[in-house]
Amino acid sequence: MYRYDEYDQSIVDARVEEFRDQVERRLSGALTEDQFKPLRLMNGLYLQLHAYMLRVAVPYGTLDSRQMRMLGHIARKYDRGYGHFTTRQNIQYNWIKLADAPDILAELATVQMHAIQTSGNCIRNISSDQFAGAAADEVADPRPWAELLRQWSTFHPEFTYLPRKFKIAVIAADEDRAAMRLHDIGIQLLERDGVLGAKIFVGGGMGRTPMIAHEVKDFITADHLMSYLEACLRVYNRYGRRDNIYKARIKILLHEIGVDAYRDQVEAEFAAIRDLGIDPPLAELARITAMFAGPDFASDAPDSVDRSDPDFAVWLDQNVAAHKQPGHAIVTISLKPIGGIPGDASADQIDLMADLAERYGHDELRVTHAQNIVLPHVRKADLYAIWTALRDARLAEANLDLISDIIACPGLDYCSLANARSIPLAQKIGERFAGRQRELGELKLKISGCINACGHHHAGHIGILGVDKKGTENYQLLLGGSGAEDVSLGKITGPGFDEDGVVDAIERVTDRYVALREADERFLDTYRRVGMQPFKEAIYG
Amino acid sequence: MVDPITVNTNAGETLLRFRDDVVHDEPAVTLDAFLGQTNATAVRLEAGDDARELLPHLGQIALVEISFPTFRDGRGYSAARILREAGFEGELRAAGDVLVDQIPHMRRCGFDSFAPEKPVDAATLTKLLALYPQPYQKAADARVPVWKLRHG
């Protein structure tokens, strides 16, 4: 894992001091709310329906147990005893007092954490593959590149007042576990002629106008990655639309001028800046990479697992993935208990996950964009003990990638932008399908409470969008989206439903799927084979 | 220069300057006007103007003023860097809705003169400019990025 040196620490410490001063100026009236807003947003502090919400950055979703415990401590001391893990691999707290925010940042800084650029029209937390460093299918660990990007993007002087927020993801495998092509910039590491480099995709995103990112650069090596990205961002900063907040993301710029024109402008900019010494030396990437070398795995760890406990065996098959190292495994801890709030964890649960990481998992945890927690490096021999501890803490739901493993935004229960509630709907769906979800197989369901799409509904195999229909909450149903390597955008089935109506409609869709599926087709595969029509008929008769 | 010199211009503006030469006293003309005549030495860029159009003429320009219609409009940061990257050494002034918390980033992008619509608090500015010991990136100022400190 990355460890701060004195330079990193001094920058994060300075940020705490800066924000403390800004809060004091706001409380004294020297700053108006309008002037304070972009400053607090750059520190992840939103004003929600009931209180301030603070979003803490978890760079590329990686944590150690000390950092995880700090997240639990903050939940306990400054919030109501829980936190909410987000689709950006961060955590947010929904009940924060403005006057406490500087103290929270000071506590985070003691464990090399911060809330820098977790909101605002700037480059947000860099996201990555939650299986990085553990997956058998990666060409390299993407996190050293993500850390290089974290440093480059932190307080970038030119790109702090962009037209709109800007999200970057880095992956290094063909299987895309990070929804890379639904980012403003998606980076896929690959090897060419023995050299590691990056393929650059630009202009993806969800929101009210979902788009899949276009390939803009076939291959760029590490020694020019930063200058190339500066060129990408500069063209956007100069020419992205600022007249309409809903048309301000880079995807709209690419859509309006075309990917070829955008690429040409970036290449012209790149030619002007590539030799100005913007790029850090390769020694910096090497320094960071050395810190991600990974743990010393036991070479003699036994590869067999005792499956005699049937409940354990179900969890093992659903939530445990193959590790690159024999005798080891990757555990995904579901934060989606049936009837619970997707992505929420109590302070006690957070502490328990930290304990497990420390005891069994080489002290590492990951947050996934699907709002679950991963222990990336555990011995197979320890899986039963881990499962037992998780079960006792209500963390052993065996539903990874099943219909109840729902991504949901906070919705109208918390968010001032939402049109409809997401959480109660997620709970109802979980309860309706709990008994038969394994029979339905992989089925990614995602709920957004408004068209801003924080719940990734466009990328759900089944997506649900909450809208306001003459003052009542109404839900539209979408089918056929995917955020993975087979990326696609869901299509609306037809007229919307009330809360119970949409759950019924999903049941009719899944019944039709079971009737239509061939061999071991996933729902998404069947949908792609037969199209929308049979499902429309099932829903609307 | 670490702290600015405050200058009151004949036009009644208060400037914060990080340079010690004499204030250029020719009024700035618009980009269109500048490109249409050849002897102006001060130009004002609106947020949407293309700074690159000035590059063939940098030798004759003493002052470029870049407008910030609202503090949220970040286009001027790129315009400033483009001019500095092309070697412009004259005065680069940020004018308009410029807030004290933005001035450290603007300094990094190459601005060395500020004409904020509303006065900024000098003590706050001094504190902010000294706050961060070093930046992560190379930009248009002389500050040394962390990676350079790490690797020489």
Side-chain angles (χ1 to χ4, degrees):
Chain A
M1 278 186 61
Y2 188 70
R3 299 284 168 208
Y4 283 8
D5 64 6
E6 62 195 289
Y7 300 117
D8 298 306
Q9 190 66 50
S10 67
I11 288 170
V12 168
D13 289 344
R15 178 51 149 192
V16 175
E17 197 183 322
E18 179 182 42
F19 191 59
R20 196 178 289 284
D21 176 67
Q22 289 168 346
V23 169
E24 278 166 17
R25 279 187 280 141
R26 174 66 194 118
L27 293 173
S28 76
L31 283 171
T32 66
E33 173 54 24
D34 190 47
Q35 291 169 340
F36 180 58
K37 189 177 170 187
L39 303 177
R40 67 169 163 77
L41 282 180
M42 229 82 78
N43 251 316
L45 199 62
Y46 286 78
L47 192 53
Q48 295 281 53
L49 282 177
H50 311 291
Y52 279 100
M53 180 272 275
L54 177 69
R55 186 180 292 147
V56 174
V58 182
Y60 33 90
T62 296
L63 292 159
D64 65 19
S65 62
R66 199 165 69 109
Q67 292 171 323
M68 189 71 163
R69 281 197 195 94
M70 175 59 77
L71 300 181
H73 166 72
I74 289 167
R76 212 172 264 126
K77 181 169 174 187
Y78 300 101
D79 201 280
R80 296 185 174 179
Y82 59 91
H84 178 75
F85 289 94
T86 78
T87 57
R88 205 110 211 97
Q89 299 176 293
N90 293 323
I91 185 169
Q92 58 196 42
Y93 298 99
N94 282 307
W95 303 96
I96 295 298
K97 294 185 190 70
L98 176 59
D100 285 340
D103 290 340
I104 299 173
L105 297 188
E107 295 220 44
L108 287 168
T110 66
V111 295
Q112 310 192 345
M113 293 186 81
H114 57 75
I116 294 165
Q117 289 166 214
T118 53
S119 55
N121 293 336
C122 51
I123 302 170
R124 301 289 188 88
N125 186 39
I126 311 296
S127 60
S128 188
D129 184 344
Q130 69 269 20
F131 290 176
D137 62 344
E138 66 186 15
V139 296
D141 189 331
R143 292 173 301 161
W145 293 60
E147 172 60 26
L148 202 62
L149 292 169
R150 182 192 73 83
Q151 297 187 23
W152 162 75
S153 60
T154 297
F155 308 134
H156 197 292
E158 186 177 340
F159 305 130
T160 299
Y161 293 89
L162 295 168
R164 199 72 180 88
K165 60 187 167 184
F166 204 90
K167 301 179 181 181
I168 302 176
V170 192
I171 65 170
D174 285 333
E175 190 176 332
D176 179 2
R177 288 171 285 259
M180 181 271 288
R181 289 192 65 191
L182 295 170
H183 281 73
D184 295 284
I185 289 184
I187 298 174
Q188 181 175 6
L189 303 188
L190 36 93
E191 211 172 72
R192 192 162 288 176
D193 303 325
V195 178
L196 195 61
K199 190 184 281 283
I200 310 286
F201 298 86
V202 183
M206 290 188 255
R208 59 187 70 204
T209 318
M211 293 189 188
I212 295 166
H214 306 271
E215 183 183 321
V216 164
K217 187 78 173 173
D218 177 46
F219 193 73
I220 185 96
T221 47
D223 53 341
H224 281 107
L225 179 70
M226 297 306 151
S227 46
Y228 186 77
L229 294 179
E230 292 223 358
C232 290
L233 265 296
R234 182 176 285 177
V235 170
Y236 170 56
N237 191 40
R238 299 183 78 205
Y239 299 111
R241 285 182 63 174
R242 292 174 185 268
D243 60 325
N244 180 341
I245 187 176
Y246 303 122
K247 296 186 186 297
R249 296 285 289 269
I250 194 172
K251 62 193 173 187
I252 304 292
L253 175 67
L254 263 79
H255 181 70
E256 289 183 350
I257 69 175
V259 60
D260 292 332
Y262 174 77
R263 184 186 293 112
D264 290 347
Q265 291 184 31
V266 169
E267 287 296 334
E269 196 64 57
F270 181 48
I273 65 175
R274 57 171 287 155
D275 297 322
L276 294 177
I278 289 167
D279 292 282
L282 287 172
E284 176 62 2
L285 182 59
R287 182 188 76 90
I288 297 169
T289 303
M291 284 190 253
F292 286 97
D296 285 328
F297 294 108
S299 57
D300 57 349
D303 214 37
S304 64
V305 180
D306 178 356
R307 300 173 56 92
S308 53
D309 182 330
D311 290 341
F312 169 66
V314 167
W315 177 81
L316 184 68
D317 291 340
Q318 199 64 48
N319 285 39
V320 177
H323 196 283
K324 65 181 179 186
Q325 185 72 21
H328 290 72
I330 305 170
V331 166
T332 299
I333 302 171
S334 171
L335 298 184
K336 320 289 178 66
I338 301 299
I341 297 175
D344 270 19
S346 70
D348 291 345
Q349 289 177 323
I350 290 172
D351 283 351
L352 175 92
M353 291 187 277
D355 292 346
L356 293 176
E358 192 172 35
R359 180 156 178 206
Y360 300 113
H362 292 282
D363 207 31
E364 255 200 67
L365 302 115
R366 311 285 173 77
V367 185
T368 82
H369 88 275
Q371 304 178 282
N372 292 314
I373 300 292
V374 164
L375 301 175
H377 308 300
V378 302
R379 295 188 332 142
K380 287 185 174 176
D382 294 326
L383 284 169
Y384 191 74
I386 292 168
W387 174 76
T388 307
L390 290 172
R391 184 195 57 192
D392 294 346
R394 262 197 104 214
L395 286 169
E397 197 72 52
N399 63 350
L400 179 65
D401 294 335
L402 300 181
I403 192 169
S404 69
D405 181 13
I406 294 169
I407 292 182
C409 71
L412 199 52
D413 291 298
Y414 293 99
C415 178
S416 49
L417 301 173
N419 295 125
R421 289 171 297 165
S422 306
I423 293 168
L425 179 57
Q427 291 166 329
K428 275 190 181 173
I429 294 168
E431 283 156 7
R432 176 76 66 95
F433 291 94
R436 56 183 293 217
Q437 58 179 339
R438 225 164 308 287
E439 174 206 338
L440 298 175
E442 180 185 310
L443 213 174
K444 298 184 182 181
L445 192 145
K446 305 177 202 267
I447 308 173
S448 303
C450 79
I451 52 174
N452 293 309
C454 297
H456 293 190
H457 65 275
H458 300 296
H461 298 179
I462 295 180
I464 300 172
L465 166 64
V467 296
D468 177 89
K469 192 177 173 193
K470 296 173 188 154
T472 60
E473 295 165 65
N474 190 266
Y475 297 92
Q476 295 179 356
L477 193 60
L478 295 87
L479 303 179
S482 171
E485 60 282 0
D486 59 352
V487 62
S488 61
L489 301 171
K491 290 194 169 59
I492 295 177
T493 56
F497 312 88
D498 64 14
E499 191 176 284
D500 289 320
V502 77
V503 184
D504 292 340
I506 292 165
E507 188 150 35
R508 289 194 284 274
V509 166
T510 52
D511 285 347
R512 181 59 59 100
Y513 153 63
V514 170
L516 290 171
R517 81 173 148 197
E518 293 178 354
D520 56 355
E521 269 184 344
R522 302 172 301 163
F523 166 77
L524 185 63
D525 302 323
T526 303
Y527 170 85
R528 285 177 175 166
R529 178 170 56 79
V530 303
M532 176 68 89
Q533 197 55 35
F535 296 104
K536 259 188 163 163
E537 285 165 15
I539 297 168
Y540 301 102
Chain B
M1 185 180 287
V2 178
D3 286 317
I5 301 168
T6 305
V7 182
N8 294 308
T9 67
N10 297 335
E13 265 185 328
T14 302
L15 291 181
L16 296 171
R17 296 182 89 237
F18 291 80
R19 45 191 303 144
D20 52 14
D21 56 352
V22 177
V23 177
H24 192 71
D25 59 4
E26 185 187 318
V29 301
T30 63
L31 179 61
D32 281 349
F34 176 84
L35 296 174
Q37 59 180 46
T38 51
N39 59 354
T41 57
V43 192
R44 175 181 166 91
L45 293 181
E46 299 304 327
D49 287 341
D50 182 2
R52 289 205 188 281
E53 293 193 47
L54 291 179
L55 298 192
H57 315 287
L58 292 183
Q60 73 176 71
I61 302 174
L63 166 69
V64 176
E65 181 176 295
I66 297 179
S67 160
F68 287 83
T70 85
F71 69 82
R72 290 188 185 81
D73 191 328
R75 287 177 285 185
Y77 295 80
S78 289
R81 272 191 81 179
I82 285 167
L83 293 172
R84 289 302 189 208
E85 285 165 1
F88 178 62
E89 290 181 352
E91 182 167 342
L92 194 47
R93 184 182 298 167
D97 194 9
V98 173
L99 305 181
V100 65
D101 291 277
Q102 298 182 305
I103 290 178
H105 276 9
M106 289 181 168
R107 289 283 293 134
R108 298 219 60 217
C109 288
F111 288 104
D112 55 9
S113 164
F114 299 88
E117 268 165 18
K118 296 180 199 113
V120 302
D121 180 63
T124 303
L125 179 57
T126 300
K127 195 172 159 184
L128 288 173
L129 286 169
L131 194 59
Y132 288 96
Q134 64 279 315
Y136 273 125
Q137 325 74 2
K138 178 168 162 38
D141 57 353
R143 299 192 69 188
V144 180
V146 168
W147 50 258
K148 182 91 177 159
L149 295 170
R150 284 176 179 143
H151 301 283

